[in-house]
Amino acid sequence: EPVVSLAEVLAENEELEKEARAVLGGSDHERCSLPQGAVKRQALYACSTCTPPGAEPAGICLACSYECHGTHRLFELYTKRNFRCDCGNSKFKNLQCKLFPEKGKVNSGNKYNDNFYGLYCTCKRPYPDPEDEIPDEMIQCIVCEDWFHGRHLGAVPPESGDFHEMVCQACMKRCHFLWAYASQLAVPPLTKANSLEDEGIVLKVEESEEQKKEIKKESGVEHHDTKEEKQSEQFNEPSTSSGYCSKFLQKFPMEIAETTSEFSFCKLKELQSKPFVKKDTATFWPSNWRSKLCTCEDCLKMYSELEVLFLTDECDTVLAYENKGTSDQETERRDPLMDTLNSMNRVQQVELICEYNDLKTELTDYLRRFADEGTVVKREDIQHFFEEFQSRKRRRTNRMQYYCS
């Protein structure tokens, strides 16, 4: 029979609680989110009981998943942006929302994909997949918000700690301007060893300078180190246009500067003037890459037309959502012991604190022995501890002397 140590149980439990606080902490578990409009980012679910395959896709908020679909079969969608809760609207034939019945027929601004039927990736398989025996990490695209197997991205993802966001192959084709940034900002994928690919073994091989030059030559462009380094330095300016313009205006008298106040500089055009390679792969990005995208008027118009204006918002990231959710929930979490103490008088408070400290100290010392020895804590061990604790408590109480004044 497989067993785990107490230390492993505690570590796993803490990790699960941390993940739940991060994902769910930014969503209200008591009130339907629909009155908030298109929520910037929230935890969502799809109900296969109410909207099975063949029906219109629909998404429900965290609170409705508890109150209206508690006994149903749900697909966890993690988080999605700019979504309004569908629970109880026209997509649900025999269900009315218990939390907010006054819903419109449809939410026209919502976007749906196969995730709402429990299918993911280009392979359109469920997760976890009972027929897939290959261990693989699922990664969410920040543009389409679908989830992909690492082996179905056209490139081997870097180590999970080396990148923070991914753009899938299809979204890179649609947002082709990102390839110009990728040459400067993206985290390089790992390089496969062909003979080991089928065995699921991946070697981390860095491309040599000669290989990089050869790639550029094959694309019909020449590689100029000096020019690229100089342009890279310009690209790494701390702002999109203000830094460039301020240096430009310093060279002119005030009366001339007034005529150039609307002068703008486009980082994207500068990058597109340099050699870069487009590939049929996903791309992987570091944590601060969004702040380096150009925000000139032309680029903002392009983002809007492609419906990716959110790429300029660093608060749109899942990491920002998780950090805010964790922070908010930690602030709101209340200690039940403190709530109990506040309802007691001074004498009762002192007695409860003493009893609590005794129990905490003795239980911690008792369980630490199991953790140190790597042994399993059994039910009889816990029963034995509390029997001994009560026995010691009675002995202490019997020895107490009471005085009357």
Side-chain angles (χ1 to χ4, degrees), residues 121-402:
C121 191
T122 55
C123 60
K124 306 303 178 187
R125 296 293 302 169
Y127 181 83
D129 188 348
E131 299 179 9
D132 186 3
E133 298 180 356
I134 303 175
D136 199 354
E137 182 181 12
M138 296 288 284
I139 308 173
Q140 188 180 33
C141 172
I142 62 164
V143 178
C144 66
E145 297 189 298
D146 194 359
W147 291 82
F148 297 84
H149 294 100
R151 65 185 186 274
H152 293 160
L153 291 171
V156 182
E159 298 295 333
S160 58
D162 294 342
F163 72 98
H164 286 261
E165 296 187 300
M166 182 273 289
V167 180
C168 71
Q169 292 164 276
C171 290
M172 285 301 297
K173 289 180 180 179
R174 186 168 71 87
C175 305
H176 52 84
F177 71 91
L178 287 176
W179 283 113
Y181 288 102
S183 62
Q184 295 284 338
L185 298 177
V187 179
L190 303 186
T191 302
K192 292 181 182 178
N194 294 333
S195 61
L196 301 177
E197 180 181 351
D198 294 336
E199 300 177 17
I201 301 174
V202 178
L203 300 181
K204 187 171 184 178
V205 181
E206 297 292 340
E207 292 179 342
S208 67
E209 291 300 320
E210 291 300 323
Q211 289 173 320
K212 292 178 181 178
K213 290 180 180 179
E214 187 63 27
I215 290 174
K216 294 185 180 292
K217 287 179 180 179
E218 291 175 358
S219 303
V221 296
E222 292 297 327
H223 182 75
H224 301 286
D225 287 333
T226 304
K227 182 179 178 182
E228 285 198 19
E229 288 173 4
K230 183 177 181 181
Q231 291 174 331
S232 177
E233 290 174 2
Q234 293 175 348
F235 179 78
N236 289 324
E237 290 283 347
S239 63
T240 55
S241 60
S242 59
Y244 184 96
C245 291
S246 61
K247 293 179 180 179
F248 179 83
L249 295 175
Q250 286 174 4
K251 300 179 180 180
F252 297 89
M254 183 61 67
E255 59 273 12
I256 298 179
E258 291 177 357
T259 64
T260 60
S261 58
E262 296 183 357
F263 178 83
S264 62
F265 168 71
C266 181
K267 281 184 178 181
L268 178 59
K269 289 181 179 178
E270 182 196 14
L271 288 173
Q272 289 175 333
S273 68
K274 303 186 329 181
F276 63 90
V277 180
K278 292 183 180 180
K279 302 178 183 179
D280 186 21
T281 67
T283 51
F284 309 90
W285 305 83
S287 60
N288 63 340
W289 76 280
R290 294 193 187 206
S291 64
K292 307 220 175 129
L293 295 179
C294 183
T295 54
C296 73
E297 184 178 347
D298 290 341
C299 283
L300 289 177
K301 181 180 179 182
M302 176 185 63
Y303 302 150
S304 181
E305 291 173 349
L306 291 172
E307 298 183 332
V308 293
L309 194 58
F310 55 81
L311 288 178
T312 62
D313 182 7
E314 292 187 81
C315 294
D316 170 78
T317 66
V318 173
L319 180 61
Y321 167 86
E322 291 181 346
N323 289 340
K324 184 179 184 302
T326 302
S327 176
D328 290 348
Q329 196 172 65
E330 289 293 340
T331 301
E332 295 174 1
R333 290 174 71 189
R334 302 183 64 181
D335 189 341
L337 176 61
M338 296 307 298
D339 290 340
T340 304
L341 285 174
N342 290 334
S343 65
M344 296 180 172
N345 60 41
R346 179 66 177 173
V347 175
Q348 292 174 322
Q349 288 178 350
V350 173
E351 290 178 350
L352 178 60
I353 290 173
C354 291
E355 291 292 337
Y356 174 80
N357 286 335
D358 288 342
L359 174 61
K360 180 180 178 181
T361 300
E362 294 189 29
L363 181 60
T364 300
D365 292 341
Y366 181 74
L367 294 178
R368 185 178 290 114
R369 296 200 300 268
F370 290 88
D372 292 341
E373 296 171 1
T375 56
V376 179
V377 181
K378 300 178 181 178
R379 180 177 180 179
E380 51 266 31
D381 295 323
I382 298 299
Q383 291 176 336
H384 176 72
F385 167 79
F386 280 102
E387 289 173 358
E388 288 292 318
F389 180 78
Q390 290 293 340
S391 176
R392 289 192 296 273
K393 179 181 176 182
R394 285 193 294 269
R395 289 198 296 270
R396 289 196 301 268
T397 303
N398 293 337
R399 289 198 299 269
M400 290 179 64
Q401 298 182 11
Y402 297 90

